PDB file of all heavy atoms in Angstrom:
ATOM      1  N   ARG L 123       7.863  55.458  63.210  1.00 95.00           N
ATOM      2  CA  ARG L 123       8.979  55.790  64.103  1.00 95.00           C
ATOM      3  C   ARG L 123       9.878  54.577  64.324  1.00 95.00           C
ATOM      4  O   ARG L 123      11.101  54.682  64.269  1.00 95.00           O
ATOM      5  CB  ARG L 123       8.446  56.302  65.437  1.00 95.00           C
ATOM      6  CG  ARG L 123       7.821  57.667  65.348  1.00 95.00           C
ATOM      7  CD  ARG L 123       7.129  58.065  66.630  1.00 95.00           C
ATOM      8  NE  ARG L 123       7.062  59.508  66.705  1.00 95.00           N
ATOM      9  CZ  ARG L 123       6.912  60.191  67.803  1.00 95.00           C
ATOM     10  NH1 ARG L 123       6.806  59.573  68.963  1.00 95.00           N
ATOM     11  NH2 ARG L 123       6.865  61.498  67.778  1.00 95.00           N
ATOM     12  N   GLU L 124       9.278  53.430  64.572  1.00 96.00           N
ATOM     13  CA  GLU L 124      10.061  52.205  64.795  1.00 96.00           C
ATOM     14  C   GLU L 124      10.810  51.789  63.537  1.00 96.00           C
ATOM     15  O   GLU L 124      11.969  51.368  63.610  1.00 96.00           O
ATOM     16  CB  GLU L 124       9.159  51.080  65.295  1.00 96.00           C
ATOM     17  CG  GLU L 124       8.684  51.301  66.720  1.00 96.00           C
ATOM     18  CD  GLU L 124       7.683  50.268  67.195  1.00 96.00           C
ATOM     19  OE1 GLU L 124       7.236  49.417  66.383  1.00 96.00           O
ATOM     20  OE2 GLU L 124       7.330  50.311  68.390  1.00 96.00           O
ATOM     21  N   LYS L 125      10.168  51.918  62.374  1.00 95.00           N
ATOM     22  CA  LYS L 125      10.826  51.562  61.123  1.00 95.00           C
ATOM     23  C   LYS L 125      12.020  52.484  60.862  1.00 95.00           C
ATOM     24  O   LYS L 125      13.072  52.042  60.402  1.00 95.00           O
ATOM     25  CB  LYS L 125       9.832  51.607  59.963  1.00 95.00           C
ATOM     26  CG  LYS L 125      10.390  51.023  58.688  1.00 95.00           C
ATOM     27  CD  LYS L 125       9.314  50.800  57.652  1.00 95.00           C
ATOM     28  CE  LYS L 125       9.925  50.119  56.434  1.00 95.00           C
ATOM     29  NZ  LYS L 125       8.927  49.821  55.428  1.00 95.00           N
ATOM     30  N   GLY L 126      11.860  53.767  61.164  1.00 94.00           N
ATOM     31  CA  GLY L 126      12.965  54.716  61.007  1.00 94.00           C
ATOM     32  C   GLY L 126      14.130  54.382  61.917  1.00 94.00           C
ATOM     33  O   GLY L 126      15.288  54.388  61.489  1.00 94.00           O
ATOM     34  N   ARG L 127      13.835  54.096  63.181  1.00 94.00           N
ATOM     35  CA  ARG L 127      14.899  53.728  64.127  1.00 94.00           C
ATOM     36  C   ARG L 127      15.624  52.464  63.677  1.00 94.00           C
ATOM     37  O   ARG L 127      16.849  52.382  63.722  1.00 94.00           O
ATOM     38  CB  ARG L 127      14.312  53.509  65.524  1.00 94.00           C
ATOM     39  CG  ARG L 127      14.072  54.778  66.281  1.00 94.00           C
ATOM     40  CD  ARG L 127      13.591  54.457  67.685  1.00 94.00           C
ATOM     41  NE  ARG L 127      13.585  55.642  68.506  1.00 94.00           N
ATOM     42  CZ  ARG L 127      12.652  55.957  69.361  1.00 94.00           C
ATOM     43  NH1 ARG L 127      11.613  55.142  69.535  1.00 94.00           N
ATOM     44  NH2 ARG L 127      12.724  57.055  70.070  1.00 94.00           N
ATOM     45  N   GLU L 128      14.868  51.470  63.232  1.00 94.00           N
ATOM     46  CA  GLU L 128      15.484  50.218  62.782  1.00 94.00           C
ATOM     47  C   GLU L 128      16.343  50.449  61.540  1.00 94.00           C
ATOM     48  O   GLU L 128      17.434  49.900  61.416  1.00 94.00           O
ATOM     49  CB  GLU L 128      14.410  49.162  62.498  1.00 94.00           C
ATOM     50  CG  GLU L 128      14.962  47.844  61.997  1.00 94.00           C
ATOM     51  CD  GLU L 128      16.029  47.226  62.894  1.00 94.00           C
ATOM     52  OE1 GLU L 128      15.940  47.351  64.133  1.00 94.00           O
ATOM     53  OE2 GLU L 128      16.975  46.624  62.344  1.00 94.00           O
ATOM     54  N   HIS L 129      15.868  51.268  60.628  1.00 94.00           N
ATOM     55  CA  HIS L 129      16.627  51.599  59.425  1.00 94.00           C
ATOM     56  C   HIS L 129      17.967  52.234  59.795  1.00 94.00           C
ATOM     57  O   HIS L 129      19.012  51.878  59.250  1.00 94.00           O
ATOM     58  CB  HIS L 129      15.802  52.536  58.536  1.00 94.00           C
ATOM     59  CG  HIS L 129      16.500  53.025  57.316  1.00 94.00           C
ATOM     60  ND1 HIS L 129      16.969  52.182  56.333  1.00 94.00           N
ATOM     61  CD2 HIS L 129      16.807  54.282  56.921  1.00 94.00           C
ATOM     62  CE1 HIS L 129      17.538  52.906  55.374  1.00 94.00           C
ATOM     63  NE2 HIS L 129      17.452  54.180  55.711  1.00 94.00           N
ATOM     64  N   VAL L 130      17.953  53.154  60.750  1.00 93.00           N
ATOM     65  CA  VAL L 130      19.186  53.806  61.196  1.00 93.00           C
ATOM     66  C   VAL L 130      20.125  52.792  61.844  1.00 93.00           C
ATOM     67  O   VAL L 130      21.327  52.783  61.561  1.00 93.00           O
ATOM     68  CB  VAL L 130      18.866  54.968  62.159  1.00 93.00           C
ATOM     69  CG1 VAL L 130      20.114  55.452  62.881  1.00 93.00           C
ATOM     70  CG2 VAL L 130      18.221  56.113  61.392  1.00 93.00           C
ATOM     71  N   ARG L 131      19.590  51.920  62.704  1.00 92.00           N
ATOM     72  CA  ARG L 131      20.441  50.897  63.345  1.00 92.00           C
ATOM     73  C   ARG L 131      21.083  49.987  62.302  1.00 92.00           C
ATOM     74  O   ARG L 131      22.263  49.662  62.377  1.00 92.00           O
ATOM     75  CB  ARG L 131      19.625  50.049  64.320  1.00 92.00           C
ATOM     76  CG  ARG L 131      19.521  50.614  65.712  1.00 92.00           C
ATOM     77  CD  ARG L 131      18.930  49.595  66.687  1.00 92.00           C
ATOM     78  NE  ARG L 131      17.544  49.283  66.415  1.00 92.00           N
ATOM     79  CZ  ARG L 131      16.510  49.970  66.885  1.00 92.00           C
ATOM     80  NH1 ARG L 131      16.698  51.006  67.651  1.00 92.00           N
ATOM     81  NH2 ARG L 131      15.280  49.616  66.577  1.00 92.00           N
ATOM     82  N   ARG L 132      20.282  49.576  61.314  1.00 91.00           N
ATOM     83  CA  ARG L 132      20.756  48.630  60.307  1.00 91.00           C
ATOM     84  C   ARG L 132      21.752  49.266  59.335  1.00 91.00           C
ATOM     85  O   ARG L 132      22.732  48.642  58.937  1.00 91.00           O
ATOM     86  CB  ARG L 132      19.557  48.075  59.541  1.00 91.00           C
ATOM     87  CG  ARG L 132      19.871  46.929  58.616  1.00 91.00           C
ATOM     88  CD  ARG L 132      18.632  46.382  57.916  1.00 91.00           C
ATOM     89  NE  ARG L 132      17.874  47.400  57.201  1.00 91.00           N
ATOM     90  CZ  ARG L 132      16.717  47.926  57.615  1.00 91.00           C
ATOM     91  NH1 ARG L 132      16.156  47.527  58.729  1.00 91.00           N
ATOM     92  NH2 ARG L 132      16.103  48.858  56.905  1.00 91.00           N
ATOM     93  N   GLU L 133      21.542  50.520  58.966  1.00 90.00           N
ATOM     94  CA  GLU L 133      22.342  51.142  57.910  1.00 90.00           C
ATOM     95  C   GLU L 133      23.416  52.117  58.394  1.00 90.00           C
ATOM     96  O   GLU L 133      24.420  52.298  57.702  1.00 90.00           O
ATOM     97  CB  GLU L 133      21.425  51.889  56.918  1.00 90.00           C
ATOM     98  CG  GLU L 133      20.429  50.998  56.231  1.00 90.00           C
ATOM     99  CD  GLU L 133      21.077  49.973  55.305  1.00 90.00           C
ATOM    100  OE1 GLU L 133      22.126  50.283  54.717  1.00 90.00           O
ATOM    101  OE2 GLU L 133      20.528  48.858  55.199  1.00 90.00           O
ATOM    102  N   PHE L 134      23.219  52.766  59.549  1.00 88.00           N
ATOM    103  CA  PHE L 134      24.088  53.886  59.913  1.00 88.00           C
ATOM    104  C   PHE L 134      24.718  53.782  61.294  1.00 88.00           C
ATOM    105  O   PHE L 134      25.366  54.720  61.742  1.00 88.00           O
ATOM    106  CB  PHE L 134      23.311  55.203  59.797  1.00 88.00           C
ATOM    107  CG  PHE L 134      22.707  55.411  58.444  1.00 88.00           C
ATOM    108  CD1 PHE L 134      21.334  55.339  58.265  1.00 88.00           C
ATOM    109  CD2 PHE L 134      23.507  55.644  57.340  1.00 88.00           C
ATOM    110  CE1 PHE L 134      20.769  55.520  57.010  1.00 88.00           C
ATOM    111  CE2 PHE L 134      22.955  55.818  56.086  1.00 88.00           C
ATOM    112  CZ  PHE L 134      21.583  55.757  55.916  1.00 88.00           C
ATOM    113  N   SER L 135      24.566  52.660  61.968  1.00 87.00           N
ATOM    114  CA  SER L 135      25.157  52.502  63.298  1.00 87.00           C
ATOM    115  C   SER L 135      26.661  52.279  63.191  1.00 87.00           C
ATOM    116  O   SER L 135      27.189  51.975  62.112  1.00 87.00           O
ATOM    117  CB  SER L 135      24.514  51.317  64.033  1.00 87.00           C
ATOM    118  OG  SER L 135      24.870  50.107  63.371  1.00 87.00           O
ATOM    119  N   ASP L 136      27.361  52.406  64.300  1.00 88.00           N
ATOM    120  CA  ASP L 136      28.801  52.110  64.340  1.00 88.00           C
ATOM    121  C   ASP L 136      29.060  50.681  63.884  1.00 88.00           C
ATOM    122  O   ASP L 136      30.012  50.411  63.149  1.00 88.00           O
ATOM    123  CB  ASP L 136      29.362  52.308  65.753  1.00 88.00           C
ATOM    124  CG  ASP L 136      29.399  53.768  66.156  1.00 88.00           C
ATOM    125  OD1 ASP L 136      29.329  54.644  65.271  1.00 88.00           O
ATOM    126  OD2 ASP L 136      29.512  54.032  67.372  1.00 88.00           O
ATOM    127  N   GLU L 137      28.203  49.754  64.312  1.00 89.00           N
ATOM    128  CA  GLU L 137      28.371  48.353  63.943  1.00 89.00           C
ATOM    129  C   GLU L 137      28.201  48.151  62.438  1.00 89.00           C
ATOM    130  O   GLU L 137      28.956  47.418  61.809  1.00 89.00           O
ATOM    131  CB  GLU L 137      27.387  47.463  64.707  1.00 89.00           C
ATOM    132  CG  GLU L 137      27.628  47.411  66.194  1.00 89.00           C
ATOM    133  CD  GLU L 137      27.086  48.634  66.940  1.00 89.00           C
ATOM    134  OE1 GLU L 137      26.280  49.417  66.365  1.00 89.00           O
ATOM    135  OE2 GLU L 137      27.495  48.826  68.093  1.00 89.00           O
ATOM    136  N   ALA L 138      27.195  48.817  61.862  1.00 88.00           N
ATOM    137  CA  ALA L 138      26.965  48.699  60.420  1.00 88.00           C
ATOM    138  C   ALA L 138      28.158  49.261  59.650  1.00 88.00           C
ATOM    139  O   ALA L 138      28.609  48.669  58.663  1.00 88.00           O
ATOM    140  CB  ALA L 138      25.686  49.422  60.017  1.00 88.00           C
ATOM    141  N   PHE L 139      28.690  50.393  60.120  1.00 89.00           N
ATOM    142  CA  PHE L 139      29.863  50.980  59.464  1.00 89.00           C
ATOM    143  C   PHE L 139      31.055  50.034  59.563  1.00 89.00           C
ATOM    144  O   PHE L 139      31.742  49.783  58.575  1.00 89.00           O
ATOM    145  CB  PHE L 139      30.216  52.334  60.085  1.00 89.00           C
ATOM    146  CG  PHE L 139      31.479  52.910  59.516  1.00 89.00           C
ATOM    147  CD1 PHE L 139      31.466  53.576  58.304  1.00 89.00           C
ATOM    148  CD2 PHE L 139      32.688  52.756  60.174  1.00 89.00           C
ATOM    149  CE1 PHE L 139      32.636  54.092  57.753  1.00 89.00           C
ATOM    150  CE2 PHE L 139      33.865  53.262  59.643  1.00 89.00           C
ATOM    151  CZ  PHE L 139      33.837  53.935  58.426  1.00 89.00           C
ATOM    152  N   ARG L 140      31.296  49.506  60.767  1.00 88.00           N
ATOM    153  CA  ARG L 140      32.431  48.599  60.964  1.00 88.00           C
ATOM    154  C   ARG L 140      32.315  47.369  60.058  1.00 88.00           C
ATOM    155  O   ARG L 140      33.263  47.004  59.378  1.00 88.00           O
ATOM    156  CB  ARG L 140      32.516  48.158  62.426  1.00 88.00           C
ATOM    157  CG  ARG L 140      33.726  47.240  62.703  1.00 88.00           C
ATOM    158  CD  ARG L 140      33.648  46.565  64.056  1.00 88.00           C
ATOM    159  NE  ARG L 140      32.478  45.695  64.082  1.00 88.00           N
ATOM    160  CZ  ARG L 140      31.635  45.611  65.110  1.00 88.00           C
ATOM    161  NH1 ARG L 140      31.806  46.318  66.189  1.00 88.00           N
ATOM    162  NH2 ARG L 140      30.595  44.798  65.046  1.00 88.00           N
ATOM    163  N   ASP L 141      31.142  46.750  60.045  1.00 87.00           N
ATOM    164  CA  ASP L 141      30.954  45.546  59.231  1.00 87.00           C
ATOM    165  C   ASP L 141      31.156  45.843  57.749  1.00 87.00           C
ATOM    166  O   ASP L 141      31.795  45.068  57.030  1.00 87.00           O
ATOM    167  CB  ASP L 141      29.571  44.954  59.466  1.00 87.00           C
ATOM    168  CG  ASP L 141      29.391  44.418  60.880  1.00 87.00           C
ATOM    169  OD1 ASP L 141      30.405  44.278  61.606  1.00 87.00           O
ATOM    170  OD2 ASP L 141      28.236  44.157  61.257  1.00 87.00           O
ATOM    171  N   SER L 142      30.634  46.973  57.283  1.00 87.00           N
ATOM    172  CA  SER L 142      30.789  47.344  55.882  1.00 87.00           C
ATOM    173  C   SER L 142      32.246  47.662  55.566  1.00 87.00           C
ATOM    174  O   SER L 142      32.777  47.253  54.529  1.00 87.00           O
ATOM    175  CB  SER L 142      29.907  48.552  55.574  1.00 87.00           C
ATOM    176  OG  SER L 142      30.097  48.977  54.247  1.00 87.00           O
ATOM    177  N   PHE L 143      32.898  48.391  56.467  1.00 87.00           N
ATOM    178  CA  PHE L 143      34.303  48.744  56.279  1.00 87.00           C
ATOM    179  C   PHE L 143      35.176  47.491  56.177  1.00 87.00           C
ATOM    180  O   PHE L 143      35.993  47.356  55.269  1.00 87.00           O
ATOM    181  CB  PHE L 143      34.768  49.633  57.433  1.00 87.00           C
ATOM    182  CG  PHE L 143      36.196  50.063  57.333  1.00 87.00           C
ATOM    183  CD1 PHE L 143      36.562  51.090  56.477  1.00 87.00           C
ATOM    184  CD2 PHE L 143      37.173  49.446  58.091  1.00 87.00           C
ATOM    185  CE1 PHE L 143      37.878  51.489  56.377  1.00 87.00           C
ATOM    186  CE2 PHE L 143      38.502  49.841  58.000  1.00 87.00           C
ATOM    187  CZ  PHE L 143      38.851  50.870  57.139  1.00 87.00           C
ATOM    188  N   VAL L 144      34.976  46.570  57.105  1.00 83.00           N
ATOM    189  CA  VAL L 144      35.764  45.337  57.112  1.00 83.00           C
ATOM    190  C   VAL L 144      35.494  44.534  55.838  1.00 83.00           C
ATOM    191  O   VAL L 144      36.429  44.026  55.206  1.00 83.00           O
ATOM    192  CB  VAL L 144      35.482  44.493  58.373  1.00 83.00           C
ATOM    193  CG1 VAL L 144      36.074  43.103  58.255  1.00 83.00           C
ATOM    194  CG2 VAL L 144      36.017  45.203  59.612  1.00 83.00           C
TER     195      VAL L 144
END
Side-chain angles (χ1 to χ4, degrees):
R123 289 172 156 202
E124 289 174 353
K125 190 168 184 177
R127 279 184 170 139
E128 179 54 35
H129 176 61
V130 167
R131 273 191 293 273
R132 189 178 54 255
E133 299 294 327
F134 305 110
S135 67
D136 290 342
E137 294 79 14
F139 175 81
R140 182 192 63 224
D141 294 347
S142 177
F143 180 78
V144 169

